[in-house]
Amino acid sequence: MRKNDPDSRVGAAADVAAAAPARSGTVQSVERAVDLLEAMADAGGTVSLSHLAATSGLPLPTIHRLVRTLAGRGYVRQQSSREYALGPRLVRLGDTAGRLVGMWARPRLAGLVDDLGESANLALLEGNQVVYVAQEPGRHSMRMFTEVGRRVSPHCTAVGKALLSRMPVERAREVLRHTDFVRHTDNTITSPEEYFAELDKVRAAGYAVDEGEQELGVRCVAVALDGPLPAAVSISGPTTRMTDALLDSAVPKLRSVADALVTELARQDAAGV
């Protein structure tokens, strides 16, 4: 940097301000970088710098420096349109984090199986897809389409409905704009309008049900976690065993597990774990 270059001095001052510790004791530049990544995810994974400026409230030069740094590490990538997309290095982080979250939640899922007998699952929303990060098999022998690591569209799963029902409407619309609404069975919802009507029912009930929409003969009920983690817990099994009576029994148990997981997360955050 030339000593008398005013643009360089302005850029350096902005970098110093961005790196200054926040009042909470955190590093502001790290907070801002994470905020930008989350804003990109909320927008469907691909955004322009002007969009980030409008949503984050940060100056465009600061955003440009942060995004350029993230791009240099592979956490974002610039496309031919000059927009920026989430980068491939995030996949490894997401997979590892999802596996650890699954290990952490498995004892709670095992408790659901003990109480209800059917397979219990934990799923996260990653970008515009649902990924299953933990499963505790039920006591009965049955092949299930859910398996750890599987990614599915949110339009045909109870966990997807539960997760999108907790989102702001515009964020849910953004996810659905990237959803192809493939028909897997005659029960699959195949239009955004019908899906939003279903989300209204989920919000009113506090839980979501998949009525053979991903796989014929399989029924699933799910409850979303009421916290910062975009996750949902569910049980699934054949329709012959997943009766209305079982669902009535399962919903409060799923809510109890979801609340317990949120409480554990809050305790860990408070302890700095």
Side-chain angles (χ1 to χ4, degrees):
M1 181 182 74
R2 292 193 302 271
K3 188 172 183 179
N4 295 320
D5 186 340
D7 291 335
S8 298
R9 289 200 301 272
V10 170
D15 285 336
V16 170
R23 281 178 292 181
S24 63
T26 58
V27 178
Q28 192 176 66
S29 59
V30 176
E31 287 184 337
R32 288 175 168 178
V34 172
D35 286 345
L36 293 181
L37 290 173
E38 291 183 347
M40 293 177 73
D42 289 344
T46 303
V47 296
S48 64
L49 293 183
S50 59
H51 176 88
L52 289 177
T55 55
S56 70
L58 294 175
L60 195 57
T62 299
I63 292 173
H64 188 265
R65 279 187 288 274
L66 290 170
V67 169
R68 189 169 57 190
T69 300
L70 291 168
R73 298 299 302 272
Y75 294 110
V76 302
R77 56 186 173 82
Q78 189 173 28
Q79 299 186 306
S80 58
S81 63
R82 302 193 66 78
E83 291 183 316
Y84 284 87
L86 296 175
R89 291 198 70 179
L90 289 171
V91 175
R92 180 172 63 90
L93 297 183
D95 288 345
T96 302
R99 185 173 65 252
L100 292 174
V101 169
M103 292 171 59
W104 161 72
R106 281 195 68 183
R108 298 286 182 182
L109 300 183
L112 286 171
V113 174
D114 290 342
D115 289 341
L116 301 167
E118 302 299 338
S119 297
N121 315 284
L122 177 71
L124 303 178
L125 186 69
E126 289 190 0
N128 302 307
Q129 288 189 307
V130 173
V131 57
Y132 291 93
V133 296
Q135 182 182 82
E136 192 66 21
R139 293 196 294 264
H140 310 280
S141 175
M142 179 184 175
R143 181 193 67 81
M144 300 293 292
F145 82 90
T146 55
E147 59 185 20
V148 174
R150 179 163 185 177
R151 296 173 183 272
V152 296
S153 169
H155 79 286
C156 56
T157 58
V159 287
K161 294 177 187 177
L163 287 164
L164 266 66
S165 72
R166 305 305 295 270
M167 290 181 178
V169 172
E170 280 310 307
R171 169 65 177 124
R173 289 190 187 281
E174 184 63 33
V175 171
L176 294 182
R177 274 194 284 269
H178 294 83
T179 298
D180 51 18
F181 283 95
V182 168
R183 182 183 294 279
H184 297 281
T185 74
D186 289 342
N187 298 332
T188 305
I189 296 173
T190 57
S191 74
E193 294 77 15
E194 186 181 357
Y195 193 82
F196 273 108
E198 180 74 6
L199 291 185
D200 287 339
K201 297 177 184 177
V202 173
R203 293 186 190 99
Y207 63 91
V209 180
D210 162 12
E211 299 283 8
E213 296 160 48
Q214 169 70 32
E215 185 174 9
L216 281 176
V218 175
R219 199 179 192 196
C220 180
V221 57
V223 169
L225 273 64
D226 186 16
L229 182 67
V233 290
S234 69
I235 63 162
S236 52
T239 54
T240 52
R241 293 198 303 265
M242 292 284 291
T243 61
D244 289 346
L246 181 61
L247 262 64
D248 289 342
S249 175
V251 168
K253 295 181 187 298
L254 287 167
R255 284 177 177 153
S256 179
V257 167
D259 290 344
L261 292 174
V262 170
T263 299
E264 287 181 27
L265 281 174
R267 186 184 305 118
Q268 291 176 8
D269 287 344
V273 175

